[in-house]
Each structure stands twice: as C-alpha cells, then as structure tokens.
Amino acid sequence: MRLGVLVSGSGTNLQALIDARDRGELSPAELAVVIANRPRAKAVERARDAGISAEVVDHTRFGGDRRSFEEALASCLDSFGVEAVILAGFMRVLSPTFVDRYPRRMLNTHPSLLPAFPGVRAPEQAVAHGVKVSGCTIHFVDAGVDTGPIIFQAAVPVLDADDAASLHRRILAEEHALLPKAARLMAAGALICEDRRVRVVEAA
Ligand code: GAR
C-alpha cells in the first residue's frame, strides 16, 4: 500500500517510518511521498536523504483558502498514487471532505492519551494540568480534531522535574515505536474498526 506522509516540522516520526522501512518492518506499506506544508520543515531533508520524493505544499500560498490548499494536497498525493495517508506531526486541521478521501486509511499520531489534551501543544497542556501520566495515541482520522478511533496508546509518567519539552521527548519515543507498527498493520488490512473499537486481527 502506497503511503503519503504529511509533515510540518522536525519529522522524527517520519524518521521512525523510514528506519522501520530500512529494517524491512514496514511492508506491505511503502513510503511513496512526503509532503510538507512548511518549506523549511526538517522532515523534507529527512525524506530526501532517505531517497523518498518530498514535496512542499505551502498553506500560506493559498491566502487562507483551505479548500484550494487541500485540492493541491490531494492532487499531489494522487500524482504519487497514494492510497493511504499518515499525519506525522502535520499541524493543519483537514476538512471532512479531504478526510473522506481516505476512509479508515488515514492515521494520526498525537502526543497525549486522547481524549485528554487534543489540539496543539498537548505536552504543555498535560504539564499545566498536572497529570501524572500522559503518553501518545495513534488513531484513525475522522472529521473531528483528534477524535478518531484509537489504534494504539502508550503511557509515560510525568515527572516532577518535567517541562513540556522533556515530557514530549519521552512521549516521542513511544510514538516512534507505535506509528510504524500501526502503518504496517493498516497496510496489511489487519486493523478492523467496529464503531469506535479497533482490533488487530493479525499477529503484530
Ligand atoms: C509529534 O509529537 C506528534 O504527535 C505531534 O507533533 C509532533 C511531531 O514531531 N502532533 C500533533 O501535536 C498533532 N496535533 P515530529 O515532527 O518530530 O514527528
């Protein structure tokens, strides 16, 4: 299954996908293209270094017209024959129309134990709230913001000395393990979604 990976920033989750591919642990998922909405995203460099096509669809060039931005994204994904999409630190909210193009074929990774702390700066929200445990969530994308059916979660402790950055580093390590695994299972048709509940039907 040909994947398009959408990114906005550093791309450590993209790197985890690349590393999994290089270890032979991503198949039958293939990394067909990486698309960044920010021209200077380090993720673009990571993709090119790994021999993956990397494109920039800069949202600021569409003057706030989300529909045109998404049409450009969709046509770029189509031009690479993309069948499923991974949001790997992609910091734009996508419309239901765009999401509907990839039913149960779009994954997101989020740095909190959803439904706690959706949206932006989740580790900062967790530290400010004073929770003792946080973590990451890999989920299917639906029309809401960080509301789709949950595939995997991993918990990490929030330590007294943590700030948002140190907590985020601990969470990222868990994301890096779970996102490639979820991508592989989705591509293998091994994720069965019944209402909100996702089951894995193949040995992971
Ligand atoms: C990750 O922690 C990801 O979960 C988060 O951005 C980070 C990207 O890191 N995504 C969101 O907060 C989406 N709401 P990366 O660019 O190093 O992969």
Side-chain angles (χ1 to χ4, degrees), residues 7-15 43 46 87-92 108-112 117-123 136-137 145-146 168 171-172 175-176 179:
V7 294
S8 297
S10 157
T12 64
N13 279 288
L14 168 66
Q15 191 64 53
R46 292 184 193 269
L87 307 183
F90 185 67
M91 304 308 275
R92 307 298 299 172
N108 182 42
T109 178
H110 183 77
S112 76
F117 313 127
V120 294
R121 293 189 290 278
C136 72
T137 303
V145 175
D146 301 325
H168 197 181
I171 293 171
L172 276 165
E175 297 187 70
H176 297 164
L179 183 63

mmCIF file of all heavy atoms in Angstrom, residues 7-15 43 46 87-92 108-112 117-123 136-137 145-146 168 171-172 175-176 179, ligand 1:
data_model
loop_
_atom_site.group_PDB
_atom_site.id
_atom_site.type_symbol
_atom_site.label_atom_id
_atom_site.label_comp_id
_atom_site.label_asym_id
_atom_site.label_seq_id
_atom_site.Cartn_x
_atom_site.Cartn_y
_atom_site.Cartn_z
ATOM 1 N N VAL A 7 3.686 16.162 6.831
ATOM 2 C CA VAL A 7 4.545 16.626 7.923
ATOM 3 C C VAL A 7 4.535 18.151 7.975
ATOM 4 O O VAL A 7 4.243 18.813 6.974
ATOM 5 C CB VAL A 7 6.002 16.137 7.719
ATOM 6 C CG1 VAL A 7 6.116 14.628 7.812
ATOM 7 C CG2 VAL A 7 6.549 16.621 6.374
ATOM 8 N N SER A 8 4.915 18.668 9.153
ATOM 9 C CA SER A 8 5.050 20.127 9.286
ATOM 10 C C SER A 8 6.382 20.538 9.888
ATOM 11 O O SER A 8 6.766 21.701 9.788
ATOM 12 C CB SER A 8 3.945 20.698 10.191
ATOM 13 O OG SER A 8 2.676 20.494 9.645
ATOM 14 N N GLY A 9 7.058 19.617 10.579
ATOM 15 C CA GLY A 9 8.200 20.074 11.372
ATOM 16 C C GLY A 9 9.408 19.182 11.280
ATOM 17 O O GLY A 9 9.884 18.829 10.197
ATOM 18 N N SER A 10 9.874 18.782 12.456
ATOM 19 C CA SER A 10 11.154 18.097 12.567
ATOM 20 C C SER A 10 11.166 16.723 11.874
ATOM 21 O O SER A 10 12.175 16.305 11.314
ATOM 22 C CB SER A 10 11.477 17.971 14.057
ATOM 23 O OG SER A 10 12.354 16.933 14.264
ATOM 24 N N GLY A 11 10.048 16.024 11.962
ATOM 25 C CA GLY A 11 9.962 14.761 11.221
ATOM 26 C C GLY A 11 10.601 13.573 11.915
ATOM 27 O O GLY A 11 11.008 12.620 11.250
ATOM 28 N N THR A 12 10.656 13.581 13.249
ATOM 29 C CA THR A 12 11.223 12.390 13.899
ATOM 30 C C THR A 12 10.299 11.178 13.722
ATOM 31 O O THR A 12 10.767 10.042 13.650
ATOM 32 C CB THR A 12 11.518 12.626 15.398
ATOM 33 O OG1 THR A 12 10.309 12.881 16.101
ATOM 34 C CG2 THR A 12 12.496 13.776 15.595
ATOM 35 N N ASN A 13 9.000 11.427 13.633
ATOM 36 C CA ASN A 13 8.096 10.298 13.354
ATOM 37 C C ASN A 13 8.262 9.786 11.932
ATOM 38 O O ASN A 13 8.200 8.582 11.686
ATOM 39 C CB ASN A 13 6.642 10.691 13.629
ATOM 40 C CG ASN A 13 6.314 10.599 15.106
ATOM 41 O OD1 ASN A 13 6.202 9.502 15.650
ATOM 42 N ND2 ASN A 13 6.204 11.748 15.754
ATOM 43 N N LEU A 14 8.482 10.698 11.003
ATOM 44 C CA LEU A 14 8.814 10.271 9.640
ATOM 45 C C LEU A 14 10.080 9.423 9.673
ATOM 46 O O LEU A 14 10.154 8.371 9.026
ATOM 47 C CB LEU A 14 9.025 11.505 8.737
ATOM 48 C CG LEU A 14 9.654 11.190 7.382
ATOM 49 C CD1 LEU A 14 8.722 10.353 6.523
ATOM 50 C CD2 LEU A 14 10.050 12.483 6.663
ATOM 51 N N GLN A 15 11.083 9.870 10.444
ATOM 52 C CA GLN A 15 12.336 9.115 10.529
ATOM 53 C C GLN A 15 12.086 7.706 11.069
ATOM 54 O O GLN A 15 12.704 6.738 10.601
ATOM 55 C CB GLN A 15 13.327 9.867 11.435
ATOM 56 C CG GLN A 15 14.741 9.313 11.369
ATOM 57 C CD GLN A 15 15.347 9.478 9.977
ATOM 58 O OE1 GLN A 15 15.358 10.578 9.442
ATOM 59 N NE2 GLN A 15 15.843 8.391 9.396
ATOM 60 N N ALA A 43 11.758 17.723 8.094
ATOM 61 C CA ALA A 43 11.257 16.452 7.575
ATOM 62 C C ALA A 43 11.520 16.312 6.076
ATOM 63 O O ALA A 43 11.742 15.207 5.578
ATOM 64 C CB ALA A 43 9.754 16.338 7.868
ATOM 65 N N ARG A 46 14.949 14.990 5.688
ATOM 66 C CA ARG A 46 15.000 13.574 6.087
ATOM 67 C C ARG A 46 14.484 12.683 4.955
ATOM 68 O O ARG A 46 15.042 11.624 4.681
ATOM 69 C CB ARG A 46 14.128 13.328 7.328
ATOM 70 C CG ARG A 46 14.620 13.967 8.603
ATOM 71 C CD ARG A 46 13.681 13.537 9.727
ATOM 72 N NE ARG A 46 13.835 14.298 10.944
ATOM 73 C CZ ARG A 46 14.661 13.972 11.944
ATOM 74 N NH1 ARG A 46 15.416 12.901 11.841
ATOM 75 N NH2 ARG A 46 14.721 14.712 13.032
ATOM 76 N N LEU A 87 -0.476 11.174 9.055
ATOM 77 C CA LEU A 87 -0.186 12.515 9.564
ATOM 78 C C LEU A 87 0.889 12.345 10.631
ATOM 79 O O LEU A 87 0.629 11.796 11.710
ATOM 80 C CB LEU A 87 -1.449 13.155 10.153
ATOM 81 C CG LEU A 87 -2.681 13.193 9.233
ATOM 82 C CD1 LEU A 87 -3.836 13.910 9.927
ATOM 83 C CD2 LEU A 87 -2.361 13.854 7.898
ATOM 84 N N ALA A 88 2.097 12.794 10.318
ATOM 85 C CA ALA A 88 3.232 12.594 11.214
ATOM 86 C C ALA A 88 3.731 13.970 11.662
ATOM 87 O O ALA A 88 4.695 14.503 11.122
ATOM 88 C CB ALA A 88 4.334 11.810 10.511
ATOM 89 N N GLY A 89 2.994 14.545 12.610
ATOM 90 C CA GLY A 89 3.332 15.902 13.033
ATOM 91 C C GLY A 89 2.860 16.930 12.014
ATOM 92 O O GLY A 89 3.543 17.922 11.766
ATOM 93 N N PHE A 90 1.694 16.686 11.441
ATOM 94 C CA PHE A 90 1.115 17.620 10.463
ATOM 95 C C PHE A 90 0.174 18.535 11.229
ATOM 96 O O PHE A 90 -0.791 18.065 11.850
ATOM 97 C CB PHE A 90 0.362 16.844 9.377
ATOM 98 C CG PHE A 90 -0.165 17.706 8.264
ATOM 99 C CD1 PHE A 90 0.715 18.341 7.397
ATOM 100 C CD2 PHE A 90 -1.529 17.884 8.084
ATOM 101 C CE1 PHE A 90 0.236 19.135 6.357
ATOM 102 C CE2 PHE A 90 -2.014 18.669 7.044
ATOM 103 C CZ PHE A 90 -1.125 19.296 6.181
ATOM 104 N N MET A 91 0.480 19.822 11.212
ATOM 105 C CA MET A 91 -0.191 20.733 12.130
ATOM 106 C C MET A 91 -1.283 21.580 11.471
ATOM 107 O O MET A 91 -1.528 22.710 11.885
ATOM 108 C CB MET A 91 0.862 21.627 12.817
ATOM 109 C CG MET A 91 1.952 20.854 13.537
ATOM 110 S SD MET A 91 1.353 19.594 14.705
ATOM 111 C CE MET A 91 1.099 20.606 16.142
ATOM 112 N N ARG A 92 -1.950 21.033 10.465
ATOM 113 C CA ARG A 92 -3.125 21.706 9.890
ATOM 114 C C ARG A 92 -4.336 20.808 10.098
ATOM 115 O O ARG A 92 -4.217 19.584 9.966
ATOM 116 C CB ARG A 92 -2.973 21.944 8.372
ATOM 117 C CG ARG A 92 -1.742 22.653 7.922
ATOM 118 C CD ARG A 92 -1.599 24.043 8.439
ATOM 119 N NE ARG A 92 -2.665 24.965 8.035
ATOM 120 C CZ ARG A 92 -2.791 26.191 8.521
ATOM 121 N NH1 ARG A 92 -1.949 26.637 9.439
ATOM 122 N NH2 ARG A 92 -3.772 26.975 8.126
ATOM 123 N N ASN A 108 -3.185 9.268 12.403
ATOM 124 C CA ASN A 108 -2.531 10.415 13.030
ATOM 125 C C ASN A 108 -1.823 9.933 14.290
ATOM 126 O O ASN A 108 -2.289 8.999 14.953
ATOM 127 C CB ASN A 108 -3.580 11.470 13.412
ATOM 128 C CG ASN A 108 -2.943 12.709 14.038
ATOM 129 O OD1 ASN A 108 -1.906 13.185 13.586
ATOM 130 N ND2 ASN A 108 -3.567 13.235 15.086
ATOM 131 N N THR A 109 -0.714 10.571 14.603
ATOM 132 C CA THR A 109 -0.088 10.358 15.904
ATOM 133 C C THR A 109 -0.220 11.645 16.705
ATOM 134 O O THR A 109 -0.006 12.743 16.179
ATOM 135 C CB THR A 109 1.376 9.908 15.789
ATOM 136 O OG1 THR A 109 1.904 9.764 17.117
ATOM 137 C CG2 THR A 109 2.252 10.873 15.018
ATOM 138 N N HIS A 110 -0.580 11.470 17.977
ATOM 139 C CA HIS A 110 -0.843 12.640 18.824
ATOM 140 C C HIS A 110 -0.146 12.453 20.174
ATOM 141 O O HIS A 110 -0.227 11.366 20.762
ATOM 142 C CB HIS A 110 -2.353 12.821 19.022
ATOM 143 C CG HIS A 110 -2.684 14.039 19.811
ATOM 144 N ND1 HIS A 110 -2.649 15.312 19.267
ATOM 145 C CD2 HIS A 110 -3.000 14.197 21.113
ATOM 146 C CE1 HIS A 110 -2.948 16.191 20.207
ATOM 147 N NE2 HIS A 110 -3.165 15.542 21.335
ATOM 148 N N PRO A 111 0.483 13.508 20.696
ATOM 149 C CA PRO A 111 1.275 13.342 21.921
ATOM 150 C C PRO A 111 0.488 13.523 23.218
ATOM 151 O O PRO A 111 0.879 14.309 24.089
ATOM 152 C CB PRO A 111 2.360 14.416 21.759
ATOM 153 C CG PRO A 111 1.687 15.509 20.996
ATOM 154 C CD PRO A 111 0.693 14.827 20.084
ATOM 155 N N SER A 112 -0.615 12.800 23.351
ATOM 156 C CA SER A 112 -1.322 12.717 24.640
ATOM 157 C C SER A 112 -2.147 11.447 24.614
ATOM 158 O O SER A 112 -2.316 10.809 23.569
ATOM 159 C CB SER A 112 -2.246 13.925 24.872
ATOM 160 O OG SER A 112 -3.412 13.811 24.086
ATOM 161 N N PHE A 117 -6.407 16.272 26.212
ATOM 162 C CA PHE A 117 -5.481 17.200 25.556
ATOM 163 C C PHE A 117 -5.379 17.063 24.035
ATOM 164 O O PHE A 117 -4.297 16.833 23.482
ATOM 165 C CB PHE A 117 -4.079 17.083 26.184
ATOM 166 C CG PHE A 117 -4.123 17.099 27.696
ATOM 167 C CD1 PHE A 117 -3.513 16.097 28.436
ATOM 168 C CD2 PHE A 117 -4.790 18.106 28.374
ATOM 169 C CE1 PHE A 117 -3.570 16.091 29.827
ATOM 170 C CE2 PHE A 117 -4.863 18.113 29.772
ATOM 171 C CZ PHE A 117 -4.239 17.101 30.488
ATOM 172 N N PRO A 118 -6.505 17.192 23.344
ATOM 173 C CA PRO A 118 -6.437 17.250 21.874
ATOM 174 C C PRO A 118 -5.871 18.595 21.424
ATOM 175 O O PRO A 118 -5.642 19.485 22.257
ATOM 176 C CB PRO A 118 -7.915 17.121 21.464
ATOM 177 C CG PRO A 118 -8.676 17.691 22.626
ATOM 178 C CD PRO A 118 -7.857 17.362 23.866
ATOM 179 N N GLY A 119 -5.660 18.723 20.131
ATOM 180 C CA GLY A 119 -5.234 20.016 19.573
ATOM 181 C C GLY A 119 -3.743 20.232 19.689
ATOM 182 O O GLY A 119 -2.968 19.283 19.710
ATOM 183 N N VAL A 120 -3.357 21.494 19.780
ATOM 184 C CA VAL A 120 -1.930 21.824 19.746
ATOM 185 C C VAL A 120 -1.322 21.815 21.146
ATOM 186 O O VAL A 120 -2.025 21.920 22.145
ATOM 187 C CB VAL A 120 -1.679 23.210 19.082
ATOM 188 C CG1 VAL A 120 -2.066 23.161 17.616
ATOM 189 C CG2 VAL A 120 -2.414 24.312 19.810
ATOM 190 N N ARG A 121 0.040 21.657 21.172
ATOM 191 C CA ARG A 121 0.824 21.728 22.411
ATOM 192 C C ARG A 121 0.294 20.808 23.517
ATOM 193 O O ARG A 121 0.141 21.217 24.669
ATOM 194 C CB ARG A 121 0.894 23.170 22.899
ATOM 195 C CG ARG A 121 1.698 24.074 21.961
ATOM 196 C CD ARG A 121 1.965 25.445 22.552
ATOM 197 N NE ARG A 121 0.780 26.246 22.649
ATOM 198 C CZ ARG A 121 0.262 26.948 21.632
ATOM 199 N NH1 ARG A 121 0.871 26.963 20.467
ATOM 200 N NH2 ARG A 121 -0.832 27.636 21.800
ATOM 201 N N ALA A 122 0.037 19.562 23.134
ATOM 202 C CA ALA A 122 -0.524 18.619 24.107
ATOM 203 C C ALA A 122 0.397 18.391 25.317
ATOM 204 O O ALA A 122 -0.088 18.365 26.453
ATOM 205 C CB ALA A 122 -0.865 17.298 23.414
ATOM 206 N N PRO A 123 1.730 18.236 25.129
ATOM 207 C CA PRO A 123 2.570 18.031 26.309
ATOM 208 C C PRO A 123 2.529 19.235 27.259
ATOM 209 O O PRO A 123 2.511 19.067 28.484
ATOM 210 C CB PRO A 123 3.983 17.829 25.714
ATOM 211 C CG PRO A 123 3.726 17.338 24.324
ATOM 212 C CD PRO A 123 2.491 18.071 23.874
ATOM 213 N N CYS A 136 1.025 8.759 24.272
ATOM 214 C CA CYS A 136 0.704 9.055 22.878
ATOM 215 C C CYS A 136 -0.470 8.202 22.430
ATOM 216 O O CYS A 136 -0.790 7.172 23.041
ATOM 217 C CB CYS A 136 1.910 8.803 21.973
ATOM 218 S SG CYS A 136 2.306 7.066 21.737
ATOM 219 N N THR A 137 -1.089 8.655 21.357
ATOM 220 C CA THR A 137 -2.224 7.940 20.754
ATOM 221 C C THR A 137 -2.012 7.889 19.254
ATOM 222 O O THR A 137 -1.747 8.916 18.625
ATOM 223 C CB THR A 137 -3.549 8.685 21.046
ATOM 224 O OG1 THR A 137 -3.711 8.823 22.455
ATOM 225 C CG2 THR A 137 -4.733 7.914 20.457
ATOM 226 N N VAL A 145 -11.324 16.888 15.460
ATOM 227 C CA VAL A 145 -9.913 17.141 15.756
ATOM 228 C C VAL A 145 -9.460 16.131 16.820
ATOM 229 O O VAL A 145 -9.901 16.200 17.975
ATOM 230 C CB VAL A 145 -9.700 18.594 16.255
ATOM 231 C CG1 VAL A 145 -8.251 18.809 16.676
ATOM 232 C CG2 VAL A 145 -10.087 19.580 15.157
ATOM 233 N N ASP A 146 -8.632 15.176 16.401
ATOM 234 C CA ASP A 146 -8.062 14.165 17.312
ATOM 235 C C ASP A 146 -9.147 13.309 17.972
ATOM 236 O O ASP A 146 -9.008 12.900 19.127
ATOM 237 C CB ASP A 146 -7.175 14.834 18.383
ATOM 238 C CG ASP A 146 -6.027 15.630 17.764
ATOM 239 O OD1 ASP A 146 -5.505 15.205 16.724
ATOM 240 O OD2 ASP A 146 -5.661 16.682 18.325
ATOM 241 N N HIS A 168 7.658 15.770 26.271
ATOM 242 C CA HIS A 168 7.445 15.474 24.850
ATOM 243 C C HIS A 168 8.494 14.486 24.337
ATOM 244 O O HIS A 168 8.180 13.576 23.573
ATOM 245 C CB HIS A 168 7.455 16.766 24.033
ATOM 246 C CG HIS A 168 6.853 16.610 22.669
ATOM 247 N ND1 HIS A 168 6.772 17.629 21.761
ATOM 248 C CD2 HIS A 168 6.303 15.536 22.035
ATOM 249 C CE1 HIS A 168 6.199 17.196 20.647
ATOM 250 N NE2 HIS A 168 5.913 15.932 20.788
ATOM 251 N N ILE A 171 7.473 11.086 25.321
ATOM 252 C CA ILE A 171 6.303 10.654 24.536
ATOM 253 C C ILE A 171 6.715 10.278 23.112
ATOM 254 O O ILE A 171 6.252 9.274 22.555
ATOM 255 C CB ILE A 171 5.231 11.764 24.518
ATOM 256 C CG1 ILE A 171 4.644 11.948 25.918
ATOM 257 C CG2 ILE A 171 4.138 11.455 23.504
ATOM 258 C CD1 ILE A 171 3.737 13.172 26.053
ATOM 259 N N LEU A 172 7.610 11.084 22.532
ATOM 260 C CA LEU A 172 8.037 10.825 21.148
ATOM 261 C C LEU A 172 8.634 9.429 21.000
ATOM 262 O O LEU A 172 8.408 8.748 19.983
ATOM 263 C CB LEU A 172 9.057 11.879 20.698
ATOM 264 C CG LEU A 172 8.466 13.190 20.165
ATOM 265 C CD1 LEU A 172 9.547 14.272 20.098
ATOM 266 C CD2 LEU A 172 7.823 13.009 18.792
ATOM 267 N N GLU A 175 5.830 7.199 20.428
ATOM 268 C CA GLU A 175 5.243 7.394 19.097
ATOM 269 C C GLU A 175 6.084 6.680 18.039
ATOM 270 O O GLU A 175 5.552 6.059 17.117
ATOM 271 C CB GLU A 175 5.184 8.888 18.750
ATOM 272 C CG GLU A 175 4.311 9.728 19.654
ATOM 273 C CD GLU A 175 4.182 11.153 19.128
ATOM 274 O OE1 GLU A 175 3.526 11.339 18.081
ATOM 275 O OE2 GLU A 175 4.749 12.055 19.752
ATOM 276 N N HIS A 176 7.408 6.792 18.184
ATOM 277 C CA HIS A 176 8.309 6.221 17.181
ATOM 278 C C HIS A 176 8.172 4.703 17.096
ATOM 279 O O HIS A 176 8.411 4.106 16.048
ATOM 280 C CB HIS A 176 9.757 6.603 17.499
ATOM 281 C CG HIS A 176 10.000 8.078 17.444
ATOM 282 N ND1 HIS A 176 11.103 8.687 17.985
ATOM 283 C CD2 HIS A 176 9.244 9.081 16.911
ATOM 284 C CE1 HIS A 176 11.029 9.997 17.790
ATOM 285 N NE2 HIS A 176 9.909 10.247 17.137
ATOM 286 N N LEU A 179 3.900 4.219 15.695
ATOM 287 C CA LEU A 179 3.388 4.698 14.397
ATOM 288 C C LEU A 179 3.753 3.751 13.244
ATOM 289 O O LEU A 179 2.868 3.384 12.453
ATOM 290 C CB LEU A 179 3.863 6.133 14.130
ATOM 291 C CG LEU A 179 3.311 6.748 12.837
ATOM 292 C CD1 LEU A 179 1.786 6.885 12.888
ATOM 293 C CD2 LEU A 179 3.950 8.114 12.569
HETATM 294 C C1 GAR B 1 4.621 14.629 17.450
HETATM 295 O O1 GAR B 1 4.731 14.554 18.848
HETATM 296 C C2 GAR B 1 3.182 14.480 17.016
HETATM 297 O O2 GAR B 1 2.446 13.626 17.813
HETATM 298 C C3 GAR B 1 2.687 15.901 17.196
HETATM 299 O O3 GAR B 1 3.719 16.682 16.687
HETATM 300 C C4 GAR B 1 4.972 16.025 16.940
HETATM 301 C C5 GAR B 1 5.739 15.988 15.657
HETATM 302 O O4 GAR B 1 7.054 15.572 15.863
HETATM 303 N N1 GAR B 1 1.459 16.105 16.513
HETATM 304 C C6 GAR B 1 0.499 16.886 16.989
HETATM 305 O O5 GAR B 1 0.596 17.523 18.010
HETATM 306 C C7 GAR B 1 -0.754 16.915 16.123
HETATM 307 N N2 GAR B 1 -1.843 17.500 16.850
HETATM 308 P P1 GAR B 1 7.971 15.151 14.641
HETATM 309 O O6 GAR B 1 7.858 16.258 13.575
HETATM 310 O O7 GAR B 1 9.340 15.106 15.233
HETATM 311 O O8 GAR B 1 7.491 13.830 14.127
#
